[in-house]
Amino acid sequence: MNERTKNYLGWAIILGILIGAGAVWRMAGTYAESTQPGAYRSFAVSGEGKATGQPDIAYFTFAVINDGGKDISALQKDNTARVNAAIEYLKSVGISKDDIKTEGYNVEPRYQSTYCGPRYLGTTEMDVCPPASIVGYTIRSTVSVKVRQAKFDVLGDVLAGVVTKGANTVSQLTFTVDDPIKLENEARAEAMAKAQAKAEALAEAGNFRLGRLLSIDEGGGLYEKYGRGGDMAYSVASAAAPAPTIEPGSQDVNVSLMLRYEIK
């Protein structure tokens, strides 16, 4: 092999090494971008969306409370009769048995203690106190009720009705949306549109181009109630007492998004 051929071969080997090194370098850069794209050239924007809907479910709780003497059997009999009467009333006005749930049944003794003072005036010596004695029992039955939108127009009558049938208290009236997914999707779409518009405006103001969308972080899912949709307590003193007017109001769902874009 002459000297010129050796030189050509040497330059060819060097050129091949340089080309191979460049390819490896480009592959390494591509891999780095794929694993952590735009990590040092990116920016984040936020957007918030809100959707408003009408509640279609109402919840309330009623309780039957009996305070009496030591005859537990008589108290239980009266408590059970009143609870059953209230439940039968709910079924008679169209509330499904699947929407009526017993939440609790409690029997608690009531104690009476004897006061123990000094045995003699001017001394600190105390009388021996007898143990507290049971003077009676309290029985409390609690039932939760779900009322669907079709019955909202008679909800006030329902609240009054369970009391006239034997409930002592009606409380925790709340309204909600049975399936909030639709409202969440509407709020999410609005939040996305606002965040994208903000990103485009920033890119134009900063004289750069938007790259890939790198990440999305979501927060929110917050529910806000308006109108008479909060907790309330209600009781009826007699069957002649008027039923309250109930307004479900409206409910808002809020979703916030954080978008991170690559800068080009």
Side-chain angles (χ1 to χ4, degrees), residues 12 41-42 53 80 100 117 128 169-170 191 193 202 223 225 244 254 258:
R41 289 182 54 83
S42 64
T80 299
I100 304 171
V128 177
T169 63
V170 176
L202 287 173
Y223 297 83
K225 300 175 183 177
N254 298 286
M258 180 74 71

Side-chain angles (χ1 to χ4, degrees), residues 21 35 61 118 125 164 223 242 246 248 260:
T35 55
T61 299
E125 186 178 0
T164 59
Y223 297 83
I246 306 297
R260 181 166 293 278

